[in-house]
Amino acid sequence: MDPIIATALNSARQRGAEYADVRLVSNREQRIVVRNGVVETMTADESVGLGIRALYNGAWGFASTRELTNAGADQAAGQAVQIARASAGQNGAGLSAAQLLGAAVTSRGSYVTPIGIDPFTVALEDKLALLLAADAEMAAVPQVSARMANLVFIREERTFANTEGTHVSQTIYESGGGVQATAVGNGETQRRSYPQSHGRQQGCAGWEYVVEMDLAGNARRIAEEAAELLTAEPCPVGITTDLIIDSSQLALQIHESCGHAVELDRALGDEAAFAGTSFLTPDLLKNFQYGSDQVNITADSTSATGLGTFGWDDEGLPAQSTDIIRSGQFVGYLMSRESATRLGLPSNGCMRASSWNRIPLIRMTNVSLQPGRWTLDDLIADTDDGIYLETNRSWSIDDRRYNFQFGTEVGREIKNGKLGRLLRNSTYTGITPEFWRSCDAVCGPELWQLWGTPRCGKGQPGQIAHTSHGASPSRFRNIRVGVMR
C-alpha cells in the first residue's frame, strides 16, 4: 500500500498543503456473547480504509476513503485540502506548519503487540466452550436470573506517514472477556461482575490473556456473591467515613476525574463533547495541588498489556511515559503536537483516532496511579472505621470533571481494623481535588493491576477509544457515602 500512501501525500502537497499525514488502517474484530445459556452474538467484522489530514494556511481539512487505489487516494487528498482551504478562508490567515506543530516528526520503524497465542488462530469451538462452561457455573446459583459471558478479539494494522518524513507501521492485538451474574430477590436486583464491571476486562495481548482470567473458575463465586448481596445490609446513609477503594474501581475514578481532566483540548476549551471541558486550566499547570503527596499519576503508552500501548500515536510520536501528577502536584497534560505548541511544550504523543474515517483526537493512553508501599492487610488493620469498595456499578461527573458520584457493586464494612458485614448499594461522592488530597495510603506493586477501559467516548462525530488505568487499593479519608436508588 506504500504507493497509495505516497500518492495521497504528493497529491496534498501539489494542491498546496503545507503539511499532510495519512493513516491506512485495517481492523478485524471478533465478538462472542453467551446470555442465559444461549449464543446471542457471534460476529466477525472487518474494515479497511485511508484517512488524510491536510494543513493549509493554519487550517485543517480531513477526508477518508475505502477506495484503496491511487485514484481514491488522490480524490481524498484533494477533498482534505479543499476543506482546509475553505476553513482558512473563514478563519483568516493562519500560522505556518512549523508555528502550529512545532518540531518536525520523522519517526521510522514497525511495532507488533507482544503476544503468546494469536487469538484468531484459536478455534471458535474452544471459545464457545469456555463461555458455556462459565455460564453453567453461574446457572448453578438459583437466585441468579440473568447471566452473561463474552469474549472480544481485535487485530488492527496501521500505517502512518507524513510529509515530514515519518513512515511507521504497527499491528495491535487486543483480547478480552468477562462474566456477569444478576440476582433478583427480596425486592432487590444485584449484580456481580468478573474480572471487572461493564462487560469485560481487555488488554493488548493474545489468547493467553483470556486463559489467565479463568472465567469459568470464577463464575460461580461471582454468582454466589450476587445472591448474597440480596440480603446484605444497605450502605449507611449520608455519613462521612474512610474508604479503601479496590484497584478496579479506582481505575474508573482515575479515568473520569483525572484522565479526561488532563486532556489539553478540553482544558483549552477546544473540546466539550461527552461531559467535557476541564477544571485543570493551563494557569494551574505546575501551580496546583491536585492530590496528596501519595498521589503519583503517569501517562504511559509503553505499559505491557495496556489498551493505550502502541509504537507511535496517530501523529507519529513514539510511545513514552510522562508524569501527570507528581507527589500531588499537577505537572502535565495529555497533548497533541498542536496543543502542546500552544503551551510551548513538546507533545507526549496522545493523538489517536478510533478508525480510518475519524480525525485523531487527544485520547488517554495508560493513565495510572503509581503504587505505594502498603499491603492490603496492613491497610485494613490500620483503618478503625470505614468501608472497602469493589467493582464499579454506576458513575456520574460534571462537565468540568469536578463533582462526582460513584456506585460500586460491593461494599464491606471495616471495624477496628477488620473486614465486617457485606454492604449493598454503596455510593460515594466528592470533589475531585478534595478527594485526591484525602488519599493517605496506596498499596504496593504486588497489588497493582492495569484495567482496560474499551468504551471511552469523545468527540463529534463520536469516537470510542480503548484506554487502560493501573492502580493498587488505596485509602481516602473522610469521604461522604450514601445509598444508591
Side-chain angles (χ1 to χ4, degrees):
M1 292 296 175
D2 283 352
I4 294 173
I5 291 172
T7 295
L9 292 177
N10 290 335
S11 178
R13 276 190 294 233
Q14 289 167 6
R15 288 174 164 86
E18 188 177 356
Y19 167 89
D21 59 39
V22 178
R23 286 177 297 110
L24 180 64
V25 182
S26 174
N27 183 278
R28 180 182 180 187
E29 179 172 334
Q30 182 185 58
R31 183 181 300 269
I32 309 167
V33 180
V34 169
R35 198 176 298 275
N36 297 331
V38 176
V39 180
E40 179 184 76
T41 301
M42 192 162 55
T43 62
D45 299 321
E46 295 190 17
S47 173
V48 62
L50 177 147
I52 180 166
R53 293 194 308 169
L55 184 64
Y56 178 84
N57 197 24
W60 287 104
F62 174 78
S64 61
T65 182
R66 290 181 294 180
E67 186 181 339
L68 299 183
T69 63
N70 286 330
D74 179 70
Q75 183 180 16
Q79 187 176 10
V81 175
Q82 184 180 21
I83 292 169
R85 283 178 175 270
S87 299
Q90 292 294 318
N91 297 331
L95 301 174
S96 69
Q99 290 172 314
L100 195 70
L101 300 177
V105 175
T106 58
S107 303
R108 291 272 171 165
S110 60
Y111 172 85
V112 179
T113 300
I115 61 172
I117 302 171
D118 184 339
F120 291 96
T121 66
V122 177
L124 180 61
E125 291 82 0
D126 293 340
K127 296 170 181 174
L128 285 170
L130 186 155
L131 295 181
L132 290 169
D135 179 85
E137 290 295 324
M138 291 186 287
V141 179
Q143 297 95 325
V144 170
S145 60
R147 313 179 304 276
M148 188 276 295
N150 77 105
L151 294 172
V152 172
F153 304 101
I154 297 171
R155 183 181 68 213
E156 183 177 270
E157 298 172 289
R158 293 202 301 262
T159 299
F160 174 89
N162 67 17
T163 51
E164 297 170 331
T166 290
H167 192 288
V168 295
S169 60
Q170 47 194 332
T171 302
I172 308 294
Y173 286 89
E174 294 184 19
S175 298
V179 294
Q180 189 174 91
T182 302
V184 178
N186 299 317
E188 285 285 327
T189 299
Q190 295 293 331
R191 182 184 74 206
R192 282 296 281 136
S193 308
Y194 176 84
Q196 68 163 326
S197 59
H198 307 298
R200 62 186 182 273
Q201 164 70 328
Q202 193 162 313
C204 283
W207 171 251
E208 68 282 354
Y209 190 78
V210 170
V211 172
E212 290 168 5
M213 292 182 192
D214 191 13
L215 298 181
N218 286 278
R220 186 172 301 196
R221 173 182 63 81
I222 68 110
E224 290 171 346
E225 290 176 2
E228 187 180 0
L229 282 166
L230 296 175
T231 56
E233 290 294 316
C235 176
V237 178
I239 68 167
T240 297
T241 190
D242 296 339
L243 299 182
I244 298 177
I245 301 178
D246 87 313
S247 64
S248 66
Q249 169 59 31
L250 200 50
L252 187 61
Q253 178 79 55
I254 294 165
H255 181 94
E256 300 298 345
S257 65
C258 183
H260 279 305
V262 298
E263 293 168 339
L264 184 50
D265 54 350
R266 291 182 183 269
L268 292 170
D270 298 337
E271 170 63 41
F274 287 93
T277 55
S278 171
F279 75 96
L280 287 173
T281 50
D283 59 298
L284 300 180
L285 183 63
K286 299 184 180 179
N287 189 36
F288 183 72
Q289 189 74 26
Y290 174 89
S292 73
D293 60 4
Q294 301 297 307
V295 177
N296 294 280
I297 296 177
T298 60
D300 187 350
S301 50
T302 69
S303 300
T305 75
L307 293 181
T309 295
F310 44 76
W312 300 267
D313 80 340
D314 285 341
E315 290 190 310
L317 273 296
Q320 55 197 279
S321 177
T322 56
D323 289 342
I324 300 299
I325 310 295
R326 186 189 305 127
S327 298
Q329 289 288 322
F330 168 46
V331 297
Y333 283 110
L334 307 174
M335 298 179 287
S336 65
R337 292 179 65 185
E338 183 177 357
S339 64
T341 299
R342 289 168 65 178
L343 297 187
L345 299 170
S347 172
N348 54 355
C350 298
M351 281 284 270
R352 294 195 288 161
S354 63
S355 181
W356 52 268
N357 60 3
R358 293 290 186 268
I359 196 166
L361 303 172
I362 296 173
R363 304 310 299 259
M364 288 176 242
T365 54
N366 306 305
V367 180
S368 302
L369 176 67
Q370 295 307 300
R373 298 182 177 180
W374 287 78
T375 68
L376 183 56
D377 287 345
D378 286 346
L379 189 54
I380 292 170
D382 189 64
T383 304
D384 291 331
D385 187 33
I387 300 174
Y388 182 79
L389 298 175
E390 301 178 55
T391 315
N392 184 258
R393 178 170 172 171
S394 65
W395 63 269
S396 65
I397 194 165
D398 71 9
D399 60 1
R400 297 178 64 236
R401 302 284 153 175
Y402 200 63
N403 294 283
F404 62 81
Q405 174 176 299
F406 287 91
T408 63
E409 291 184 357
V410 171
R412 297 186 188 277
E413 187 179 60
I414 303 173
K415 289 291 185 183
N416 300 317
K418 295 182 179 179
L419 286 178
R421 300 178 300 169
L422 184 68
L423 301 175
R424 58 181 165 87
N425 300 339
S426 298
T427 65
Y428 65 98
T429 64
I431 296 172
T432 295
E434 293 178 3
F435 173 82
W436 286 104
R437 290 170 193 165
S438 76
C439 179
D440 75 336
V442 180
C443 285
E446 68 282 355
L447 293 174
W448 191 90
Q449 187 167 350
L450 197 59
W451 296 94
T453 305
R455 287 193 291 267
C456 174
K458 187 176 178 181
Q460 291 176 320
Q463 298 191 40
I464 300 298
H466 297 188
T467 74
S468 285
H469 308 282
S472 304
S474 302
R475 184 171 61 194
F476 299 82
R477 296 288 196 178
N478 300 316
I479 305 299
R480 188 171 179 81
V481 300
V483 175
M484 179 171 56
R485 293 294 186 188

